Amino acid sequence: MLTAGMLTLISPDGTVRDRLTITLEATRELYADMVEARTYDHKCMAMQRQGRLATYAPFEGQEAAQIGAAAALRPDDWVAATYRDAALMWRAGYPWELLIAGRTGDERGGQAPEGVNVLPPSITVGGHMIHAVGLAWAEALNGSDRVALTSFGDGATSEGDFHEAMNFAAVYRTPTIFLCQNNGFAISYPREEQTRSESIAMKADAYGMPGVLVDGNDVAAVLSVVGEAVARARAGDGPTLIEAVTYRLGPHTTSDDPARYRDEDEAGEWRRRDPLERVRALLERSGGWTPEWQQELETRAAAVIEEAVVQAEALPPPTGAEMLSRMYAELTEPLLSQMGEIET
Amino acid sequence: MSEQTLAQAVNGALATALESDERVVLLGEDIGRTGGVFRITDGLQAKYGEDRVFDTPVAESGIVGAAFGMAIAGMRPVAELQFLGFSYPAYDQIINHVARIRNRSNHRFTAPLVIRVPYGGGIGAAEHHSESTEVIYAHIPGLKVVVPSTPSDARGLLLAAIEDPDPVLFLEPIRLYRAIKEEVPELYYTTDIGPLRVEREGTDLTLISWGAMMKESRAAAALLEERGASVEVLDLRTLSPIDQHGIVESSAKTGRVVVVHEAPRTAGLGAEVAAIIQERALYSLQAPVRRVAGWDTVFPLKRSEAHYLPSVERIVRAAEETLEA
């Protein structure tokens, strides 16, 4: 896999490789966000094991790619992401309680608050990338400077829809940011076997748009490259493909066992490149981290997530009538007659 | 008012929509410079500009997916796919995203887009160009499926589809594009999506059809009338949501029903129509509900088309057997 030219700002050991352009305080905030996201991820894994959530797709290991990318957006920008992007969606404004509600198997979890332009996660792989092209295209046609970011995995780049989305975005120069979180696997199929391209970022060349390779476990580097892509998009200079090289530390979902398809030594190697640990080390060296602060962050995150769980689980059971009423703006004649049947 | 073909009526409705609603944009393969493979969008790009009428790369999934994103962001895109047989690459977008976003987001995001698709046979086209697979779309919750068979309905239904808060698949019968002319009002008007149209009233038998098959059904009704039978002809014109009430009302009145469609018989929409009738009007029936449909084959090439398409004779024969039963 090609990693030459990959931007890293904070090394795995926490030393700064290039000049950091973000402040200590901003770095502390990104770190706090990653701690909160990981707390959510661990909580969801535990709840799924307890039977309180449907299948869950963990993002542990990918916090920097997701938090860094979302931090580069404006609150009114569009996001079209996947089932593994809860951290990204949350940092873009989507409340934890709705993300949890969605995972309990409740469509009300898909209802982003007014003003939050984050689509419910796409469960099918790849079809949502073109949505970010249409969203961005509409904004550009309407003279707005909003951009649309779509997030997807390395596996999705094998879908035909990746080609159509990349091509449309480049042809119409839509303000779209394609964020590929290359986490090493399409469920079990390694990245190296999915494509003969040396990198995913290099595929951008063929479409006539910039392709950028970034250390996906480095929150500062991700923030930086996504920030540049967003600035380019807002200025009317078109789309960018970003490949954030990262690693899924957990399983694909709670339904599989990664030991069947990957070397646990490899996973151990990636654990040493943990996206949280390198920032913690950097902050500690800069005087921005203490064990007490860490404790405070973890306690606060646990309380926030616990409260979100309470809210999600307090949703009254959905009625059959609500289910029938969600298909159209108004009930159709066939649904009206079915309404009479479902309520009796 | 002016005398228009169905093709002209669709073109006129698109022009009216572009004129009256700045959120409306058109996108599709070859629709700009050349006005589309059937010239339905002729002149619209020249008149309304390249930022309202877009030629797109050959990518049906991309066209529908991009239109979907535009619709969520507040626009009213009207996408054209060249033939129903070319719509399947977009089927994933339609079934998995377009028809579901309202449900998935609990009404927070909606996709008010229109997908226009020429469909049906009878012009001796190449393989894949004559498909009549409307039922695979009518089966999808969250989508509306509309089929005009007259120029004035084409205008009214298309303007209604563009106004509709939900996604509409708008099927245009290729064989009727230039087959009939009718006075069409030039003002802005909409025709409700849902209610069927009673094309001709009668008391002895109901013929239910839609799209290009309305032509044969109409001719069959006239022939049967000459032979002394009073035939009611219904144009379903919205396939989803289907007008259960209208179907039941006419069936209960005449007690004898023949459904006519171009699609293969098995699991065609005629089966749904027959089921609605037996559920809600069985005791008014004097005879079994009959289906005159395409055979369970792929749509054939030119030299076998006459074997495939329901003919006036087949409809008359089925109607007479139903009348005698």
Side-chain angles (χ1 to χ4, degrees):
Chain A
M1 191 164 69
L2 185 76
T3 50
M6 181 171 84
L7 180 72
T8 298
L9 295 176
I10 307 172
S11 301
D13 63 4
T15 54
V16 174
R17 209 175 271 186
D18 279 301
R19 197 168 57 83
L20 264 185
T21 50
I22 52 170
T23 62
L24 180 67
E25 196 43 45
T27 311
R28 274 165 58 93
E29 280 172 26
L30 290 169
Y31 180 70
D33 287 346
M34 290 196 291
V35 168
E36 189 165 324
R38 182 163 290 183
T39 305
Y40 165 88
D41 195 61
H42 287 177
K43 180 70 180 177
C44 286
M45 286 298 279
M47 286 176 71
Q48 199 281 337
R49 300 298 185 211
Q50 293 162 344
R52 291 156 75 190
L53 295 188
T55 308
Y56 179 70
F59 56 74
E60 185 175 16
Q62 300 177 220
E63 292 89 348
Q66 296 193 20
I67 297 292
L73 297 174
R74 221 165 55 190
D76 61 340
D77 286 330
W78 288 97
V79 173
T82 78
Y83 49 79
R84 202 185 304 287
D85 290 327
L88 192 162
M89 291 172 64
W90 165 70
R91 184 59 181 75
Y94 210 97
W96 288 128
E97 59 269 24
L98 292 182
L99 288 159
I100 296 166
R103 298 278 58 76
T104 65
D106 193 321
E107 284 83 353
R108 288 170 293 188
Q111 187 182 347
E114 281 302 322
V116 174
N117 292 330
V118 179
L119 302 188
S122 178
I123 307 296
T124 60
V125 173
H128 68 292
M129 296 180 272
I130 187 77
H131 304 162
V133 177
L135 290 162
W137 195 359
E139 294 296 350
L141 287 171
N142 287 329
S144 133
D145 69 347
R146 277 184 201 152
V147 303
L149 179 141
T150 179
S151 167
F152 48 93
D154 46 302
T157 66
S158 298
E159 292 278 2
D161 280 342
F162 172 73
H163 166 69
E164 296 192 19
M166 291 284 289
N167 190 46
F168 266 61
V171 164
Y172 299 108
R173 293 178 72 79
T174 68
T176 307
I177 296 93
F178 292 89
L179 174 71
C180 177
Q181 293 173 61
N182 170 5
N183 68 9
F185 293 90
I187 302 189
S188 66
Y189 196 47
R191 150 64 189 90
E192 289 69 24
E193 293 178 37
Q194 294 169 35
T195 170
R196 297 291 175 212
S197 299
E198 286 182 315
S199 76
I200 288 165
M202 73 191 301
K203 293 176 189 281
D205 280 356
Y207 296 95
M209 74 168 82
V212 183
L213 201 56
V214 65
D215 182 341
N217 281 19
D218 176 351
V219 72
V222 173
L223 174 63
S224 169
V225 300
V226 177
E228 283 170 22
V230 167
R232 214 168 22 246
R234 267 200 230 296
D237 293 333
T240 305
L241 171 64
I242 295 162
E243 177 183 0
V245 179
T246 180
Y247 196 82
R248 188 188 79 213
L249 291 173
H252 163 63
T253 70
T254 42
S255 307
D256 81 351
D257 171 14
R260 294 172 70 101
Y261 53 76
R262 77 182 184 199
D263 181 356
E264 284 311 303
D265 288 347
E266 182 188 79
E269 175 59 32
W270 277 93
R271 283 208 173 272
R272 282 187 287 280
R273 289 188 244 169
D274 188 289
L276 276 68
E277 178 51 30
R278 69 174 74 183
V279 183
R280 194 204 62 75
L282 167 68
L283 288 172
E284 185 174 16
R285 200 163 320 110
S286 323
W289 183 91
T290 61
E292 294 72 30
W293 185 58
Q294 179 73 27
Q295 189 56 49
E296 192 187 308
L297 284 183
E298 287 175 14
T299 306
R300 193 171 65 209
V304 165
I305 300 302
E306 202 52 56
E307 172 57 24
V309 170
V310 168
Q311 285 186 39
E313 292 188 333
L315 274 175
T319 65
E322 284 177 309
M323 180 175 73
L324 299 192
S325 302
R326 278 196 297 266
M327 295 316 305
Y328 299 94
E330 284 176 35
L331 281 173
T332 59
E333 191 197 339
L335 281 166
L336 261 173
S337 66
Q338 289 163 31
M339 189 69 88
E341 294 177 42
I342 200 168
E343 291 296 84
T344 52
Chain B
M1 298 280 272
S2 69
E3 194 158 76
Q4 294 179 9
T5 61
L6 197 145
Q8 289 166 330
V10 172
N11 178 281
L14 291 171
T16 299
L18 285 161
E19 197 81 55
S20 59
D21 187 344
E22 62 181 15
R23 299 171 303 170
V24 173
V25 291
L26 313 186
L27 62 165
E29 296 156 12
D30 308 300
I31 69 165
R33 286 184 194 85
T34 74
V37 286
F38 288 101
R39 309 288 176 266
I40 302 304
T41 52
D42 213 12
L44 297 178
Q45 188 183 59
K47 181 155 187 203
Y48 296 99
E50 289 179 8
D51 55 354
R52 301 288 303 279
V53 180
F54 294 96
D55 277 321
T56 66
V58 183
E60 291 77 14
S61 181
I63 292 167
V64 172
F68 172 75
M70 291 172 123
I72 290 175
M75 302 197 83
R76 294 278 168 150
V78 181
E80 176 179 303
L81 302 179
Q82 292 186 329
F83 293 89
L84 199 51
F86 298 175
S87 70
Y88 314 132
Y91 198 57
D92 173 61
Q93 286 293 335
I94 296 171
I95 188 169
N96 280 329
H97 298 291
V98 171
R100 287 171 185 243
I101 190 65
R102 180 185 289 281
N103 177 71
R104 185 182 296 157
S105 70
N106 198 27
H107 298 282
R108 168 69 170 82
F109 299 111
T110 57
L113 71 144
V114 177
I115 305 167
R116 293 180 39 247
V117 197
Y119 93 110
I123 59 161
E127 196 186 353
H128 311 292
H129 291 65
S130 303
E131 304 276 305
S132 194
T133 47
E134 64 271 24
V135 74
I136 66 176
Y137 292 101
H139 188 62
I140 298 175
L143 189 67
K144 296 182 179 180
V145 181
V146 172
V147 185
S149 78
T150 68
S152 54
D153 268 4
R155 179 175 175 83
L157 286 168
L158 183 51
L159 289 171
I162 294 169
E163 269 187 17
D164 201 279
D166 288 300
V168 178
L169 181 72
F170 192 84
L171 298 175
E172 299 167 6
I174 294 169
R175 192 154 56 95
L176 298 186
Y177 265 147
R178 292 171 175 88
I180 36 169
K181 278 199 162 188
E182 189 183 51
E183 289 292 324
V184 177
E186 273 160 22
L187 54 111
Y188 190 102
Y189 70 94
T190 57
T191 303
D192 285 350
I193 292 175
L196 56 72
R197 184 172 57 87
V198 181
E199 155 131 347
R200 163 191 186 120
E201 290 193 32
T203 52
D204 299 334
L205 177 126
T206 303
L207 279 180
I208 302 177
S209 196
W210 56 89
M213 275 297 127
M214 285 301 297
K215 196 166 170 236
E216 278 68 26
S217 298
R218 221 174 270 141
L223 211 63
L224 289 159
E225 189 92 17
E226 282 172 25
R227 299 180 189 176
S230 165
V231 178
E232 182 143 302
V233 180
L234 307 184
D235 178 359
L236 219 44
R237 68 182 180 174
T238 294
L239 307 186
S240 175
I242 197 165
D243 184 355
Q244 297 178 331
H245 177 79
I247 291 168
V248 170
E249 192 175 49
S250 178
S251 305
K253 181 172 85 174
T254 63
R256 299 173 199 272
V257 183
V258 175
V259 191
V260 182
H261 62 66
E262 204 170 305
R265 182 187 295 167
T266 299
L269 201 69
E272 179 62 30
V273 173
I276 290 168
I277 296 168
Q278 76 84 20
E279 278 177 350
R280 294 169 54 177
L282 180 68
Y283 301 114
S284 306
L285 291 182
Q286 306 294 318
V289 176
R290 288 281 296 265
R291 289 175 288 169
V292 178
W295 311 113
D296 290 350
T297 66
V298 296
F299 196 96
L301 300 182
K302 184 176 172 137
R303 297 181 67 192
S304 293
E305 254 188 7
H307 293 307
Y308 180 91
L309 284 171
S311 60
V312 176
E313 293 69 34
R314 273 175 65 198
I315 299 168
V316 167
R317 201 181 323 132
E320 288 184 334
E321 286 167 12
T322 303
L323 283 163
E324 285 156 18

Short mmCIF file of all heavy atoms in Angstrom, two decimals, chain B residues 181-223:
data_model
loop_
_atom_site.label_atom_id
_atom_site.label_comp_id
_atom_site.label_asym_id
_atom_site.label_seq_id
_atom_site.Cartn_x
_atom_site.Cartn_y
_atom_site.Cartn_z
N LYS B 181 -53.77 13.40 -31.02
CA LYS B 181 -53.74 14.84 -30.75
C LYS B 181 -55.00 15.20 -30.00
O LYS B 181 -56.05 14.58 -30.19
CB LYS B 181 -53.65 15.63 -32.06
CG LYS B 181 -52.24 15.74 -32.59
CD LYS B 181 -52.13 16.89 -33.60
CE LYS B 181 -50.67 17.28 -33.80
NZ LYS B 181 -50.54 18.48 -34.62
N GLU B 182 -54.87 16.21 -29.17
CA GLU B 182 -56.01 16.59 -28.34
C GLU B 182 -55.86 18.07 -27.99
O GLU B 182 -54.74 18.58 -27.91
CB GLU B 182 -55.97 15.74 -27.06
CG GLU B 182 -57.18 15.85 -26.18
CD GLU B 182 -57.01 15.04 -24.90
OE1 GLU B 182 -55.98 15.21 -24.21
OE2 GLU B 182 -57.90 14.25 -24.57
N GLU B 183 -56.97 18.73 -27.74
CA GLU B 183 -56.92 20.10 -27.25
C GLU B 183 -56.39 20.08 -25.83
O GLU B 183 -56.93 19.38 -24.96
CB GLU B 183 -58.32 20.73 -27.27
CG GLU B 183 -58.85 21.02 -28.67
CD GLU B 183 -58.07 22.13 -29.37
OE1 GLU B 183 -57.64 23.08 -28.67
OE2 GLU B 183 -57.85 22.02 -30.59
N VAL B 184 -55.33 20.83 -25.58
CA VAL B 184 -54.74 20.87 -24.25
C VAL B 184 -54.72 22.33 -23.77
O VAL B 184 -54.18 23.18 -24.48
CB VAL B 184 -53.30 20.29 -24.25
CG1 VAL B 184 -52.67 20.41 -22.86
CG2 VAL B 184 -53.31 18.84 -24.70
N PRO B 185 -55.29 22.60 -22.61
CA PRO B 185 -55.25 23.98 -22.09
C PRO B 185 -53.79 24.37 -21.83
O PRO B 185 -53.01 23.57 -21.34
CB PRO B 185 -56.03 23.90 -20.78
CG PRO B 185 -56.75 22.59 -20.80
CD PRO B 185 -55.96 21.69 -21.69
N GLU B 186 -53.45 25.61 -22.14
CA GLU B 186 -52.06 26.03 -21.93
C GLU B 186 -51.82 26.63 -20.56
O GLU B 186 -50.69 26.91 -20.19
CB GLU B 186 -51.63 27.00 -23.04
CG GLU B 186 -51.11 26.21 -24.24
CD GLU B 186 -51.13 26.99 -25.54
OE1 GLU B 186 -51.14 28.23 -25.47
OE2 GLU B 186 -51.14 26.35 -26.61
N LEU B 187 -52.90 26.82 -19.81
CA LEU B 187 -52.72 27.39 -18.48
C LEU B 187 -52.12 26.35 -17.53
O LEU B 187 -51.98 25.18 -17.88
CB LEU B 187 -54.07 27.88 -17.94
CG LEU B 187 -55.17 26.81 -17.94
CD1 LEU B 187 -55.54 26.40 -16.54
CD2 LEU B 187 -56.37 27.34 -18.68
N TYR B 188 -51.76 26.83 -16.34
CA TYR B 188 -51.22 25.91 -15.34
C TYR B 188 -52.36 25.16 -14.69
O TYR B 188 -53.25 25.75 -14.09
CB TYR B 188 -50.45 26.71 -14.27
CG TYR B 188 -49.65 25.83 -13.34
CD1 TYR B 188 -48.27 25.68 -13.50
CD2 TYR B 188 -50.26 25.14 -12.31
CE1 TYR B 188 -47.54 24.85 -12.66
CE2 TYR B 188 -49.53 24.31 -11.47
CZ TYR B 188 -48.18 24.17 -11.65
OH TYR B 188 -47.45 23.35 -10.83
N TYR B 189 -52.39 23.86 -14.83
CA TYR B 189 -53.39 23.06 -14.12
C TYR B 189 -52.77 21.73 -13.72
O TYR B 189 -51.80 21.29 -14.32
CB TYR B 189 -54.65 22.83 -14.97
CG TYR B 189 -54.46 21.91 -16.14
CD1 TYR B 189 -54.73 20.55 -16.05
CD2 TYR B 189 -53.99 22.40 -17.36
CE1 TYR B 189 -54.54 19.69 -17.14
CE2 TYR B 189 -53.80 21.56 -18.45
CZ TYR B 189 -54.08 20.22 -18.34
OH TYR B 189 -53.88 19.37 -19.40
N THR B 190 -53.32 21.13 -12.67
CA THR B 190 -52.83 19.82 -12.26
C THR B 190 -53.98 18.83 -12.29
O THR B 190 -55.15 19.20 -12.13
CB THR B 190 -52.23 19.84 -10.85
OG1 THR B 190 -53.21 20.30 -9.93
CG2 THR B 190 -51.00 20.73 -10.77
N THR B 191 -53.64 17.58 -12.52
CA THR B 191 -54.60 16.48 -12.47
C THR B 191 -54.21 15.62 -11.28
O THR B 191 -53.05 15.23 -11.17
CB THR B 191 -54.51 15.66 -13.78
OG1 THR B 191 -54.75 16.55 -14.88
CG2 THR B 191 -55.52 14.53 -13.79
N ASP B 192 -55.15 15.36 -10.39
CA ASP B 192 -54.81 14.65 -9.16
C ASP B 192 -54.15 13.30 -9.42
O ASP B 192 -54.63 12.52 -10.25
CB ASP B 192 -56.07 14.41 -8.32
CG ASP B 192 -56.54 15.68 -7.64
OD1 ASP B 192 -55.78 16.69 -7.68
OD2 ASP B 192 -57.66 15.68 -7.09
N ILE B 193 -53.08 13.05 -8.67
CA ILE B 193 -52.46 11.72 -8.70
C ILE B 193 -53.29 10.83 -7.79
O ILE B 193 -53.61 11.20 -6.67
CB ILE B 193 -51.00 11.81 -8.22
CG1 ILE B 193 -50.19 12.58 -9.26
CG2 ILE B 193 -50.42 10.42 -7.98
CD1 ILE B 193 -48.76 12.85 -8.86
N GLY B 194 -53.69 9.68 -8.28
CA GLY B 194 -54.51 8.76 -7.49
C GLY B 194 -55.77 8.36 -8.23
O GLY B 194 -55.89 7.21 -8.66
N PRO B 195 -56.72 9.28 -8.40
CA PRO B 195 -58.00 8.89 -9.00
C PRO B 195 -57.87 8.41 -10.44
O PRO B 195 -57.17 9.03 -11.24
CB PRO B 195 -58.83 10.17 -8.95
CG PRO B 195 -58.18 11.03 -7.93
CD PRO B 195 -56.72 10.68 -7.96
N LEU B 196 -58.54 7.32 -10.75
CA LEU B 196 -58.58 6.87 -12.14
C LEU B 196 -59.53 7.76 -12.93
O LEU B 196 -60.24 8.60 -12.37
CB LEU B 196 -58.99 5.40 -12.22
CG LEU B 196 -60.32 4.96 -11.58
CD1 LEU B 196 -61.52 5.43 -12.37
CD2 LEU B 196 -60.34 3.44 -11.46
N ARG B 197 -59.53 7.58 -14.25
CA ARG B 197 -60.39 8.38 -15.10
C ARG B 197 -61.38 7.45 -15.81
O ARG B 197 -60.96 6.43 -16.38
CB ARG B 197 -59.54 9.11 -16.15
CG ARG B 197 -60.29 10.06 -17.07
CD ARG B 197 -59.29 10.85 -17.93
NE ARG B 197 -58.43 9.95 -18.70
CZ ARG B 197 -58.77 9.48 -19.90
NH1 ARG B 197 -59.88 9.84 -20.49
NH2 ARG B 197 -57.95 8.64 -20.52
N VAL B 198 -62.65 7.79 -15.70
CA VAL B 198 -63.64 7.01 -16.44
C VAL B 198 -63.67 7.58 -17.84
O VAL B 198 -64.15 8.67 -18.08
CB VAL B 198 -65.04 7.10 -15.78
CG1 VAL B 198 -66.05 6.27 -16.57
CG2 VAL B 198 -64.98 6.65 -14.34
N GLU B 199 -63.09 6.84 -18.76
CA GLU B 199 -62.97 7.36 -20.12
C GLU B 199 -64.30 7.26 -20.86
O GLU B 199 -64.62 8.08 -21.70
CB GLU B 199 -61.88 6.57 -20.84
CG GLU B 199 -62.03 6.56 -22.34
CD GLU B 199 -60.77 6.90 -23.08
OE1 GLU B 199 -59.80 7.38 -22.47
OE2 GLU B 199 -60.76 6.67 -24.30
N ARG B 200 -65.05 6.24 -20.50
CA ARG B 200 -66.31 6.01 -21.20
C ARG B 200 -67.21 5.25 -20.24
O ARG B 200 -66.76 4.32 -19.58
CB ARG B 200 -65.96 5.20 -22.45
CG ARG B 200 -67.06 4.51 -23.14
CD ARG B 200 -66.46 3.55 -24.17
NE ARG B 200 -67.56 2.98 -24.93
CZ ARG B 200 -67.68 3.12 -26.25
NH1 ARG B 200 -66.74 3.69 -26.95
NH2 ARG B 200 -68.72 2.60 -26.87
N GLU B 201 -68.43 5.68 -20.13
CA GLU B 201 -69.34 5.03 -19.19
C GLU B 201 -70.09 3.89 -19.86
O GLU B 201 -70.36 3.93 -21.06
CB GLU B 201 -70.32 6.05 -18.62
CG GLU B 201 -69.62 7.02 -17.67
CD GLU B 201 -70.58 7.84 -16.84
OE1 GLU B 201 -71.67 7.33 -16.51
OE2 GLU B 201 -70.23 8.99 -16.54
N GLY B 202 -70.41 2.88 -19.09
CA GLY B 202 -71.14 1.73 -19.62
C GLY B 202 -71.73 0.94 -18.48
O GLY B 202 -71.44 1.21 -17.31
N THR B 203 -72.54 -0.06 -18.80
CA THR B 203 -73.25 -0.77 -17.74
C THR B 203 -73.04 -2.28 -17.75
O THR B 203 -73.32 -2.96 -16.77
CB THR B 203 -74.77 -0.51 -17.86
OG1 THR B 203 -75.17 -0.81 -19.21
CG2 THR B 203 -75.10 0.94 -17.55
N ASP B 204 -72.53 -2.84 -18.88
CA ASP B 204 -72.46 -4.30 -18.97
C ASP B 204 -71.11 -4.90 -18.59
O ASP B 204 -71.03 -6.02 -18.10
CB ASP B 204 -72.77 -4.74 -20.42
CG ASP B 204 -74.17 -4.33 -20.84
OD1 ASP B 204 -75.03 -4.18 -19.95
OD2 ASP B 204 -74.38 -4.12 -22.05
N LEU B 205 -70.05 -4.15 -18.84
CA LEU B 205 -68.71 -4.70 -18.61
C LEU B 205 -67.72 -3.55 -18.41
O LEU B 205 -67.89 -2.48 -19.00
CB LEU B 205 -68.29 -5.54 -19.83
CG LEU B 205 -66.88 -6.13 -19.81
CD1 LEU B 205 -66.93 -7.64 -20.05
CD2 LEU B 205 -65.98 -5.49 -20.85
N THR B 206 -66.71 -3.79 -17.56
CA THR B 206 -65.67 -2.78 -17.33
C THR B 206 -64.36 -3.24 -17.93
O THR B 206 -63.91 -4.36 -17.64
CB THR B 206 -65.47 -2.53 -15.82
OG1 THR B 206 -66.72 -2.14 -15.24
CG2 THR B 206 -64.44 -1.46 -15.57
N LEU B 207 -63.76 -2.40 -18.76
CA LEU B 207 -62.41 -2.65 -19.25
C LEU B 207 -61.48 -1.72 -18.46
O LEU B 207 -61.70 -0.51 -18.43
CB LEU B 207 -62.29 -2.30 -20.73
CG LEU B 207 -62.78 -3.31 -21.77
CD1 LEU B 207 -62.54 -2.73 -23.18
CD2 LEU B 207 -62.04 -4.63 -21.63
N ILE B 208 -60.47 -2.31 -17.81
CA ILE B 208 -59.54 -1.50 -17.03
C ILE B 208 -58.17 -1.58 -17.68
O ILE B 208 -57.64 -2.68 -17.92
CB ILE B 208 -59.44 -2.00 -15.57
CG1 ILE B 208 -60.83 -1.98 -14.91
CG2 ILE B 208 -58.45 -1.14 -14.78
CD1 ILE B 208 -60.85 -2.51 -13.48
N SER B 209 -57.60 -0.42 -17.98
CA SER B 209 -56.30 -0.42 -18.64
C SER B 209 -55.54 0.85 -18.28
O SER B 209 -56.00 1.65 -17.48
CB SER B 209 -56.48 -0.54 -20.14
OG SER B 209 -55.25 -0.90 -20.74
N TRP B 210 -54.37 1.01 -18.89
CA TRP B 210 -53.55 2.22 -18.70
C TRP B 210 -52.51 2.29 -19.80
O TRP B 210 -52.27 1.31 -20.50
CB TRP B 210 -52.88 2.24 -17.32
CG TRP B 210 -52.02 1.03 -17.04
CD1 TRP B 210 -50.69 0.88 -17.32
CD2 TRP B 210 -52.45 -0.20 -16.43
NE1 TRP B 210 -50.27 -0.37 -16.92
CE2 TRP B 210 -51.32 -1.04 -16.36
CE3 TRP B 210 -53.67 -0.65 -15.92
CZ2 TRP B 210 -51.38 -2.33 -15.81
CZ3 TRP B 210 -53.73 -1.93 -15.37
CH2 TRP B 210 -52.59 -2.75 -15.32
N GLY B 211 -51.93 3.45 -19.97
CA GLY B 211 -50.85 3.62 -20.94
C GLY B 211 -51.30 3.34 -22.37
O GLY B 211 -52.45 3.60 -22.75
N ALA B 212 -50.39 2.78 -23.15
CA ALA B 212 -50.66 2.58 -24.58
C ALA B 212 -51.82 1.62 -24.83
O ALA B 212 -52.49 1.71 -25.85
CB ALA B 212 -49.39 2.06 -25.27
N MET B 213 -52.06 0.71 -23.89
CA MET B 213 -53.15 -0.26 -24.08
C MET B 213 -54.53 0.39 -24.05
O MET B 213 -55.54 -0.25 -24.40
CB MET B 213 -53.06 -1.36 -23.02
CG MET B 213 -52.12 -2.48 -23.40
SD MET B 213 -52.71 -3.32 -24.89
CE MET B 213 -51.26 -3.23 -25.91
N MET B 214 -54.58 1.67 -23.64
CA MET B 214 -55.86 2.38 -23.69
C MET B 214 -56.38 2.46 -25.12
O MET B 214 -57.58 2.45 -25.37
CB MET B 214 -55.72 3.80 -23.11
CG MET B 214 -55.61 3.85 -21.60
SD MET B 214 -57.04 3.11 -20.76
CE MET B 214 -58.35 4.21 -21.30
N LYS B 215 -55.45 2.52 -26.05
CA LYS B 215 -55.83 2.62 -27.46
C LYS B 215 -56.62 1.38 -27.89
O LYS B 215 -57.71 1.49 -28.47
CB LYS B 215 -54.55 2.76 -28.30
CG LYS B 215 -54.76 3.25 -29.69
CD LYS B 215 -53.42 3.67 -30.31
CE LYS B 215 -53.59 3.94 -31.80
NZ LYS B 215 -52.69 3.14 -32.62
N GLU B 216 -56.10 0.20 -27.57
CA GLU B 216 -56.78 -1.05 -27.93
C GLU B 216 -58.08 -1.19 -27.12
O GLU B 216 -59.09 -1.67 -27.64
CB GLU B 216 -55.88 -2.25 -27.66
CG GLU B 216 -54.86 -2.54 -28.76
CD GLU B 216 -53.79 -1.47 -28.89
OE1 GLU B 216 -53.52 -0.78 -27.88
OE2 GLU B 216 -53.24 -1.30 -30.00
N SER B 217 -58.05 -0.79 -25.87
CA SER B 217 -59.24 -0.93 -25.03
C SER B 217 -60.38 -0.06 -25.55
O SER B 217 -61.55 -0.47 -25.58
CB SER B 217 -58.91 -0.56 -23.58
OG SER B 217 -57.94 -1.44 -23.08
N ARG B 218 -60.01 1.14 -25.96
CA ARG B 218 -60.98 2.08 -26.54
C ARG B 218 -61.61 1.47 -27.80
O ARG B 218 -62.83 1.48 -27.97
CB ARG B 218 -60.20 3.34 -26.93
CG ARG B 218 -60.88 4.64 -26.65
CD ARG B 218 -59.91 5.78 -26.95
NE ARG B 218 -59.10 6.15 -25.80
CZ ARG B 218 -57.80 6.49 -25.85
NH1 ARG B 218 -57.15 6.47 -27.01
NH2 ARG B 218 -57.17 6.83 -24.76
N ALA B 219 -60.77 0.94 -28.68
CA ALA B 219 -61.26 0.37 -29.94
C ALA B 219 -62.13 -0.85 -29.66
O ALA B 219 -63.18 -1.05 -30.31
CB ALA B 219 -60.07 -0.01 -30.83
N ALA B 220 -61.72 -1.66 -28.68
CA ALA B 220 -62.50 -2.85 -28.33
C ALA B 220 -63.88 -2.44 -27.81
O ALA B 220 -64.90 -3.05 -28.16
CB ALA B 220 -61.75 -3.68 -27.29
N ALA B 221 -63.91 -1.39 -26.99
CA ALA B 221 -65.19 -0.92 -26.43
C ALA B 221 -66.12 -0.46 -27.54
O ALA B 221 -67.33 -0.75 -27.51
CB ALA B 221 -64.94 0.20 -25.42
N ALA B 222 -65.58 0.24 -28.53
CA ALA B 222 -66.41 0.73 -29.63
C ALA B 222 -66.99 -0.44 -30.42
O ALA B 222 -68.18 -0.44 -30.80
CB ALA B 222 -65.57 1.63 -30.54
N LEU B 223 -66.16 -1.46 -30.64
CA LEU B 223 -66.60 -2.63 -31.39
C LEU B 223 -67.70 -3.39 -30.62
O LEU B 223 -68.71 -3.83 -31.19
CB LEU B 223 -65.39 -3.55 -31.61
CG LEU B 223 -65.36 -4.38 -32.87
CD1 LEU B 223 -65.34 -3.49 -34.11
CD2 LEU B 223 -64.11 -5.27 -32.86
#
